[in-house]
Amino acid sequence: MNSFGKTQVAIVGAGPAGLLLGALLAKAGVESVIVEQHDSGYVLGRIRAGVLEQVTVDLLDAAGAGARMRAEGLPHQGIELCFGGARHRIDLHGLTGGTQVMVYGQTEVTRDLMQLRAAAGLPTVYEARQVSLHGFDGARPSVRYTHGGAAYELHCDFIAGCDGYHGVSRQSVPAGALKTFERVYPFGWLGVLSETPPVSHELIYSNHERGFALCSMRSASRSRYYVQCSSDDKAERWSDDAFWDELRRRLDPAAAEALVTGPSIEKSIAPLRSFVAEPMRFGRLFLAGDAAHIVPPTGAKGLNLAAGDVGLLARALEEHYRDKSDAGIDGYSERCLRRVWRAERFSWWFTSLMHKFPETGAFGQKMQAAELDYLVHSQAASTALAENYVGLPL
Ligand code: APR
Ligand code: PHB
């Protein structure tokens, strides 16, 4: 080792979870260093979901990163479910006693958090290689990495593993100490981003016999659309025209007619997976966000769950330093997991309801149609969807 450093909390990963945690800790007067394996351009290049729950909006505000979201984000008070050739509105706002969601892309959230961190002069090591975690089962944890060919060791009180599903943090936990739960869905989402006005001012989730489709947006002039595709499909196989034709077929006639098409800015396929690792803490290592759990994107819970985790973690660490209380730290895993499993259930249910599975068949389709009919005509059922969609309290 030719260089040493010291901080209170070493954060592995500069995705939305790591950056938001760093910002919340800074507000609480707790020091952090973020160690990220890629450069900031790579981190910003990944396009992910774009619906923020009120809890996430509040955390971004609390972190001091909410200004542009407040100015440019689109508050939504409802969603539409499309099936049987017609759309049905779910009044999220009315059914939840006044809660709404904010449509604002994860890329923009990440950009705002990066700018905030840079403006505050808080340390982030981009392009760190060979990142490894040490000593978190004892009193002296550290994170080692190389950067520009030199080796570093960052000593810290705690490590926050915010390095996503493929990160090193979860893999550093001793075998046998982790229990994992997983379901891989037999299809993917083909997504297209285009500089075209959204087809509707609210999101449309469509159940169609050809497969699921989703109409979302990033702004009044930029749209994000998805169609369910097979797991082994390739984005390159889809021309823009083929994508638009397929999307149109899966919408009701009015939406199909209103759809404005244009060249794709981005086109990619995402697999769908449910995954949870338990517990979320080992000694002085905490897992947060995608490092600990994955949800399928139906319902856009991924970023919101990550934000919830780091909201609880920041509060727990603040209590540790300020009040000398470890109650939050000791309860972190259990508190997060309760919320995580509820979001896992919702995401799994919404995915199961809206997609065509290999085994769906004619009977399965009738069951989905009957459930959707019940959902949009029963206030109790609509309310259950609405309160999960806008997000459960922290
Ligand atoms: N060392 C350092 N950094 C790493 C390592 C490593 N070994 N492995 C991964 N990383 C970095 C990645 O490059 C990435 O920038 O960790 C970051 C993890 O970011 P995300 O994958 O975005 O995960 P998270 O911050 O938990 O975000 C939550 O919200 O919409 C959802 O699933 C979506 O990314 C999303 C999530
Ligand atoms: C998106 O805008 O990318 C998005 C929106 C809602 C979802 C999933 C993705 O449920």
Side-chain angles (χ1 to χ4, degrees), residues 47-51 103 189 203 205 214 216-218 224 226 297-301 350 389:
I47 299 182
R48 301 259 173 85
V51 181
V103 173
W189 278 18
L203 271 60
Y205 290 86
L214 168 61
S216 181
M217 65 193 73
R218 290 292 175 270
R224 179 72 169 159
Y226 300 92
T298 332
K301 291 292 167 219
F350 202 21
Y389 194 91

Side-chain angles (χ1 to χ4, degrees), residues 5-156:
K6 193 164 173 27
T7 189
Q8 289 178 308
V9 182
I11 300 174
V12 185
L19 288 164
L20 179 57
L21 176 62
L24 292 168
L25 289 176
K27 283 278 177 202
V30 178
E31 273 175 28
S32 67
V33 174
I34 302 185
V35 178
E36 161 65 48
Q37 68 178 357
H38 290 292
D39 61 28
S40 57
Y42 174 92
V43 176
L44 286 173
R46 294 169 305 180
I47 299 182
R48 301 259 173 85
V51 181
L52 309 182
E53 297 173 359
Q54 189 60 49
V55 166
T56 306
V57 167
D58 292 344
L59 284 166
L60 288 167
D61 276 337
R68 197 161 67 94
M69 166 192 70
R70 291 282 175 195
E72 296 176 18
L74 308 170
H76 279 205
Q77 303 196 335
I79 56 170
E80 292 187 293
L81 298 181
C82 179
F83 57 95
R87 271 178 281 156
H88 306 262
R89 184 167 189 267
I90 301 289
D91 178 8
L92 300 173
H93 192 259
L95 290 164
T96 58
T99 313
Q100 53 188 17
V101 293
M102 181 75 92
V103 173
Y104 189 64
Q106 178 172 324
T107 309
E108 304 313 314
V109 172
T110 309
R111 196 190 310 278
D112 294 346
L113 287 164
M114 277 181 178
Q115 279 174 1
L116 181 73
R117 190 164 180 91
L122 299 174
T124 309
V125 181
Y126 284 104
E127 299 182 86
R129 306 278 185 250
Q130 294 166 282
V131 177
S132 59
L133 280 50
H134 305 271
F136 51 82
D137 50 347
R140 292 173 43 80
S142 69
V143 174
R144 292 185 197 153
Y145 58 94
T146 62
H147 187 249
Y152 295 85
E153 180 160 20
L154 176 64
H155 295 282
C156 55

